[in-house]
Amino acid sequence: MEEAKALFFFFFFFIVAASSLPANFAGNGSDASDALAKDADFIDELPNQPESIDFRQYSGYLLAEPVSNRRFFYYFVEAEDIRPLSKPLIIYIGAPSVNDLASALLSCFQQVGPYTVGDDGQTLIPNPFSWNKFANILFIEGPVGVGFSLSDNDQDIYETQEFWIIADMYHFIVRWMKRFPEHKNNDVYIAGQSYIGALGPGLATYILYMNTRPDSTPISIRGILMGNPKMDSDLEFITRFEAKFRMNIISEEILRDHRKLCHVKNTEDVLICWKPIGEYQRLALALDGYNVYSKFCPNIDIKSVGLDNFKEKVYDCNEQCVAGYLNIPFVQLMMHVQSTPWGPPMWQPYDSNTRVLTNISSSTPYIKAAMAKGVRVLIYSGVQDDENVIPNMIAIKSMNLTISSEWRPWFDNKVEVAGFVESYVGGLTYATVRAAGMKVMIDQPERGFILAKSFITNSSLPFTKFV
């Protein structure tokens, strides 16, 4: 009953939203103008990129919403293949940090794209585990306020909601398909981490709904890849301290207080619940929220910034380098970045100003609805993330799916146990990644690559080479 209610409000919102758009919004513009725009978006060469690049890359802006003239920035890399059109299209959506929205370009130049930024913040290094070795990848920066995306409405950088983001993403994708018509028949996969747990299933379900309308542009949605996704905010609030206890960050007494005082997520319990939360924050002050067993930047002198404000003073090492590269004026020129009304563009990894209204408290109804239409789902968890592993496992079990392949180890190319995996009837796979936190492609890039490629090619994760 709750699933049906959630989907009803979901589609009711979008029917009303779609009726307010100008006629033929998604398809406006001529084929000739789109061809010219595509040519203008072509990147001949990024500054300091590796030599012998054998794929094409593009970046620029496309209209996501016409009333406020919201324009999302994108970066597209073709598959590293002599026949890129034969490969599927991965649409990669940015994820948040602990509390903030994040740019898809952060994941691109840190994790899954063809390059990573060197320690000097200026040089691009080939990424041997780039996902464009088996797929075309479209990185979308949204909502407005994230990365280089823009709007004529100043308020867009302060407040939005999940349904708006999904609607804007959909219309952006349709417009992108018109600019790149050679990819309109590609199999499409939605990917991301963390916040993708809400946006991914919601966007996939909306695409499936819009595909039923006779005036829509069909999108061949085939799958969703979600890394350490935030799937159920209430469940996460209740169970998140279980993982912290299992990782020896908090004591049994703090866990017991959290179970007793933080059992319901509502305003009345905030002050009471603050006691165990505050104790955890004190204990975890010098821990990486993405991977509690990883190190902070080795070149940062904690004494010079002070432990109390350490996290507010510095980015993660890799984030510093990406920000340095994307804020080089010549890089922005080559990537066709537009100036803002208030001055030169400034790329930051996170947007902490935009408040996002939650419309999807649990994405499990949307996952089941997408699976019912043949969309496969991969949920993978780096086990050293102290927030989402346990909530995700409980959320998956709550869907009452039938196991098709029981829990077993899977292996990387070094013949080591890379994690564990279980598959369900209907197309859902859940996999863990050992020695990784939320950013699997940073902590264990080879294992993340194997996960994604196996899912995209619809093949089983490797068993041991000894069998």
Side-chain angles (χ1 to χ4, degrees):
M1 185 65 182
E2 291 299 321
E3 293 182 3
K5 185 186 295 185
L7 293 173
F8 170 79
F9 284 113
F10 180 72
F11 292 124
F12 176 77
F13 173 88
F14 285 116
I15 290 171
V16 172
S19 66
S20 66
L21 291 175
N24 199 31
F25 158 63
N28 55 11
S30 66
D31 292 343
S33 63
D34 276 306
L36 290 173
K38 176 185 172 183
D39 289 342
D41 287 350
F42 177 72
I43 299 173
D44 182 55
E45 183 178 345
L46 285 175
N48 298 326
Q49 75 176 30
E51 297 180 358
S52 304
I53 294 301
D54 56 356
F55 57 85
R56 287 173 291 190
Q57 49 191 344
Y58 300 81
S59 63
Y61 292 84
L62 275 164
L63 188 64
E65 192 276 335
V67 177
S68 295
N69 195 25
R70 289 199 286 267
R71 289 101 65 202
F72 286 177
F73 184 81
Y74 79 91
Y75 173 57
F76 173 61
V77 291
E78 287 191 343
E80 199 174 285
D81 190 278
I82 58 173
R83 295 179 299 122
L85 296 182
S86 68
K87 300 298 181 180
L89 172 67
I90 294 176
I91 298 175
Y92 201 99
I93 299 172
S97 66
V98 178
N99 296 305
D100 306 327
L101 294 167
S103 163
L105 293 187
L106 181 60
S107 296
C108 172
F109 289 99
Q110 263 194 328
Q111 303 181 56
V112 304
Y115 324 108
T116 56
V117 181
D119 292 341
D120 60 1
Q122 299 182 25
T123 307
L124 297 181
I125 301 170
N127 179 7
F129 302 110
S130 171
W131 289 6
N132 85 318
K133 294 185 181 300
F134 54 82
N136 305 280
I137 319 177
L138 172 61
F139 297 93
I140 305 177
E141 291 205 298
V144 169
V146 172
F148 292 129
S149 292
L150 299 170
S151 174
D152 290 350
N153 183 355
D154 293 342
Q155 295 306 306
D156 282 339
I157 66 173
Y158 297 113
E159 187 168 14
T160 186
Q161 56 179 285
E162 290 167 350
F163 284 171
W164 293 353
I165 298 172
I166 290 170
D168 286 354
M169 288 285 180
Y170 171 79
H171 293 298
F172 175 94
I173 293 167
V174 170
R175 287 292 298 119
W176 188 89
M177 292 286 189
K178 194 168 188 300
R179 184 168 295 186
F180 291 80
E182 65 273 21
H183 291 280
K184 67 180 181 181
N185 295 321
N186 286 54
D187 288 347
V188 171
Y189 294 82
I190 299 169
Q193 59 190 17
S194 192
Y195 200 26
I196 194 68
L199 296 185
L203 179 57
T205 308
Y206 185 50
I207 288 172
L208 291 167
Y209 165 72
M210 293 299 291
N211 283 349
T212 65
R213 298 183 57 168
D215 58 341
S216 67
T217 298
I219 298 173
S220 301
I221 179 71
R222 293 289 181 263
I224 314 169
L225 297 80
M226 301 190 291
N228 288 64
K230 294 180 177 293
M231 298 168 56
D232 190 312
S233 58
D234 292 333
L235 185 61
E236 179 189 334
F237 181 84
I238 295 170
T239 64
R240 60 183 177 172
F241 269 48
E242 305 293 329
K244 303 179 195 302
F245 173 69
R246 296 186 189 188
M247 292 178 176
N248 301 311
I249 303 173
I250 61 173
S251 67
E252 188 173 0
E253 289 74 23
I254 296 174
L255 175 63
R256 187 164 55 244
D257 282 350
H258 189 270
R259 287 174 175 171
K260 178 182 178 181
L261 304 174
C262 306
H263 58 286
V264 178
K265 184 182 179 183
N266 58 48
T267 55
E268 288 79 10
D269 287 336
V270 169
L271 294 179
I272 299 175
C273 183
W274 182 249
K275 180 178 181 290
I277 292 177
E279 290 176 336
Y280 160 72
Q281 291 181 341
R282 175 179 57 81
L283 294 169
L285 192 61
L287 295 179
D288 187 337
Y290 299 128
N291 184 336
V292 295
Y293 297 137
S294 70
K295 297 179 180 179
F296 274 117
C297 300
N299 58 336
I300 295 295
D301 180 7
I302 294 181
K303 293 180 180 178
S304 67
V305 295
L307 184 59
D308 290 342
N309 59 3
F310 175 62
K311 290 185 179 181
E312 286 71 31
K313 290 286 186 182
V314 297
Y315 293 139
D316 169 271
C317 299
N318 305 97
E319 293 164 6
Q320 282 187 340
C321 297
V322 175
Y325 183 78
L326 292 177
N327 283 311
I328 297 174
F330 188 54
V331 171
Q332 294 181 353
L333 176 66
M334 297 302 292
M335 295 187 75
H336 319 118
V337 176
Q338 297 176 5
S339 296
T340 66
W342 50 88
M346 175 63 71
W347 185 90
Q348 299 183 59
Y350 304 118
D351 169 30
S352 58
N353 297 317
T354 304
R355 174 179 173 269
V356 181
L357 176 65
T358 300
N359 302 122
I360 302 175
S361 59
S362 173
S363 63
T364 54
Y366 306 92
I367 293 174
K368 294 182 73 172
M371 289 172 60
K373 297 295 184 180
V375 176
R376 296 186 297 114
V377 179
L378 170 65
I379 298 171
Y380 61 95
S381 296
V383 296
Q384 291 172 194
D385 171 22
D386 70 342
E387 286 284 340
N388 300 310
V389 177
I390 292 177
N392 288 342
M393 295 181 73
I394 297 174
I396 291 171
K397 294 301 180 184
S398 74
M399 290 191 277
N400 296 317
L401 303 174
T402 301
I403 296 174
S404 60
S405 178
E406 292 186 348
W407 189 262
R408 68 164 178 88
W410 65 277
F411 295 77
D412 62 19
N413 290 334
K414 297 182 178 67
V415 202
E416 294 179 358
V417 175
F420 294 84
V421 60
E422 188 167 76
S423 299
Y424 299 84
V425 173
L428 187 144
T429 298
Y430 176 66
T432 64
V433 185
R434 294 176 65 228
M438 190 187 80
K439 296 182 177 181
V440 170
M441 288 297 294
I442 289 179
D443 298 329
Q444 292 291 329
E446 183 178 11
R447 293 174 181 178
F449 179 87
I450 293 171
L451 266 175
K453 184 177 181 180
S454 297
F455 180 73
I456 294 294
T457 58
N458 199 15
S459 55
S460 297
L461 285 170
F463 290 84
T464 173
K465 288 185 178 180
F466 297 117
V467 178

